[in-house]
Amino acid sequence: MVNAIAKEITTLSANRNTLSTLNPTPSALIETIYFGGGTPSLLSGDELKQILGAVHQSFNVSPAAEITLETNPDDHSAEMLDAWKSSGINRLSIGVQSFHEADLVWMNRAHNASQSIGCIKAAQDKGFQNLTIDLIYGTPGLTDDRWRQNFDSAIELRIPHLSCYALTVEPKTALDSLIAKGKMQPVDAGQQANQFLLLMDWAIEAGFEHYEISNFAKPGHRSRHNSNYWSGVPYYGFGPSAHSFDGGKSRWWNVANNGLYVQAVENHLPHTETELLTPAQQLNEYIMTSLRTLEGIGAAGNGHAFITPKDFELLVAKATKWQLQGKVLITADAIRLTNEGKLFADGIAGDLFLP
């Protein structure tokens, strides 16, 4: 798999032979690199260096690039932290989920609460100050007090970035089946909404920016990589299921099956599907992603050509009813969600879509 990913990066694959017409091109300055989509912390230091070496060989990487690695609390060791640092990783995303043992057992997580704390402190001791952790709220049995304790634990550990998500129950999963059989409590939407509202208040009081629906950062610690996604910046994705975007109308993604992916890359076979977005799709994607951010939908499209003054005028007209309900704030240069509106972000975005 590592060899295939490195090869895909260096060859850019047969069906990316029109790079001269796309943006980003190999000469573009790469500002962020993100190892995610699974458990990349299982890679050895040498394997990470092999992949990063292929990136540096193929692209112009900024010396100040943000390079993030996703890891579980039970994957780290002093040796691995050293290996990550020496390979160029400068930001860690740690899947904590909760600092309470009962929550982790309920979620069937492999790590325990002490491992989470130990991982964070060990990373900080090795010089990783740019850390983010995931926290889950709205799980059955999670009281507001215990949710506050989770948040306070992150503050005490000096975590500068938080990604917080409500528990979702996907159809046909084990959790969905257990709830249907009455063996597990169902998710309480009211509890989730209340804990999200509490979280927003706590985060602001603690000096965080609520810069995207699920993300909170101390000043200077926004995720540059994810911010690029929400801003429509072009990106490349490598590996099974990885998606790429040219910053305009073209999106393509790799085959999901590991074996088929490796075989295709090794034999220079096509392994991607491509989607060409219509102007309406480009505009509505901009509406959906930008509305989730602190900056909101900008009158000038925040530098993008997806939105025109006429489009913004139409959006203001459609958003007025949401402003009257206290869910949207409309100014001369932007449409933004209020805290209450953030509870209905997807529905409001869908209502604002233009034909």
Side-chain angles (χ1 to χ4, degrees):
M1 178 61 71
V2 171
N3 289 339
I5 292 173
K7 185 172 183 178
E8 185 190 12
I9 293 169
T10 53
T11 62
L12 299 179
S13 77
N15 63 338
R16 294 186 190 166
N17 57 9
T18 56
L19 280 173
S20 60
T21 67
L22 298 177
N23 186 13
T25 65
S27 62
L29 187 66
I30 301 301
E31 298 283 359
T32 68
I33 301 169
Y34 196 99
F35 287 88
T39 314
S41 53
L42 293 178
L43 295 173
S44 69
D46 287 342
E47 288 167 334
L48 283 171
K49 288 178 181 178
Q50 181 181 349
I51 294 173
L52 283 168
V55 173
H56 283 274
Q57 178 183 335
S58 304
F59 295 95
N60 181 20
V61 180
S62 167
E66 174 192 274
I67 307 178
T68 304
L69 177 81
E70 289 186 353
T71 180
N72 290 320
D74 49 314
D75 288 337
H76 88 285
S77 66
E79 293 75 23
M80 286 306 301
L81 288 166
D82 285 334
W84 296 341
K85 199 159 189 66
S86 67
S87 68
I89 305 297
N90 53 32
R91 183 174 183 268
L92 295 180
S93 176
I94 305 173
V96 169
Q97 317 307 344
S98 174
F99 289 102
H100 286 280
E101 212 66 54
D103 298 336
L104 296 171
V105 170
W106 187 90
M107 295 181 210
N108 198 30
R109 300 295 297 181
H111 68 275
N112 58 42
S114 63
Q115 285 176 311
S116 293
I117 296 171
C119 177
I120 291 167
K121 289 184 175 179
Q124 291 170 331
D125 288 344
K126 291 291 185 179
F128 286 99
Q129 299 305 317
N130 198 0
L131 300 177
T132 179
I133 65 171
D134 292 345
L135 292 176
I136 303 291
Y137 61 90
T139 56
L142 180 68
T143 64
D144 293 347
D145 284 343
R146 203 159 77 197
W147 176 223
R148 179 63 197 245
Q149 289 167 18
N150 270 334
F151 179 82
D152 287 344
S153 293
I155 302 305
E156 289 168 10
L157 288 164
R158 307 187 314 280
I159 304 298
H161 187 284
L162 303 173
S163 293
C164 302
Y165 305 100
L167 176 74
T168 56
V169 182
E170 298 295 338
K172 299 181 180 179
T173 60
L175 180 57
D176 183 45
S177 176
L178 289 170
I179 291 174
K181 294 175 181 176
K183 295 182 179 181
M184 196 76 74
Q185 286 180 264
V187 170
D188 184 332
Q191 172 205 18
Q192 291 194 330
N194 182 60
Q195 290 184 352
F196 182 49
L197 290 170
L198 288 171
L199 168 66
M200 287 188 278
D201 289 340
W202 299 338
I204 296 303
E205 289 172 4
F208 285 81
E209 282 186 308
H210 189 187
Y211 73 101
E212 194 272 344
I213 290 285
S214 302
N215 289 275
F216 304 80
K218 288 293 183 74
H221 286 277
R222 291 189 185 192
S223 168
R224 289 162 53 194
H225 188 85
N226 289 340
S227 294
N228 286 340
Y229 287 143
W230 304 319
S231 301
V233 171
Y235 56 85
Y236 277 126
F238 299 102
S241 297
H243 282 60
S244 302
F245 179 55
D246 72 349
K249 66 178 183 179
S250 296
R251 178 183 289 112
W252 61 98
W253 56 93
N254 288 341
V255 62
N257 182 275
N258 288 356
L260 292 177
Y261 166 79
V262 172
Q263 184 180 21
V265 172
E266 287 178 346
N267 294 286
H268 300 282
L269 299 173
H271 58 278
T272 65
E273 291 184 55
T274 300
E275 175 185 26
L276 296 178
L277 303 174
T278 66
Q281 287 174 320
Q282 292 178 56
L283 172 60
N284 288 333
E285 286 203 0
Y286 169 72
I287 291 170
M288 180 178 65
T289 56
S290 62
L291 191 63
R292 293 179 61 89
T293 67
L294 179 63
E295 289 71 27
I297 302 171
N302 289 345
H304 297 294
F306 301 145
I307 191 168
T308 66
K310 177 67 173 177
D311 292 330
F312 188 73
E313 188 177 312
L314 291 171
L315 288 170
V316 167
K318 297 187 75 170
T320 298
K321 68 177 182 182
W322 295 108
Q323 179 168 248
L324 293 173
Q325 296 178 35
K327 294 180 175 63
V328 157
L329 176 65
I330 301 172
T331 62
D333 62 351
I335 300 171
R336 299 180 180 89
L337 295 173
T338 63
N339 279 2
E340 185 181 354
K342 290 169 186 174
L343 295 169
F344 305 92
D346 291 344
I348 294 173
D351 184 63
L352 295 181
F353 285 172
L354 297 176

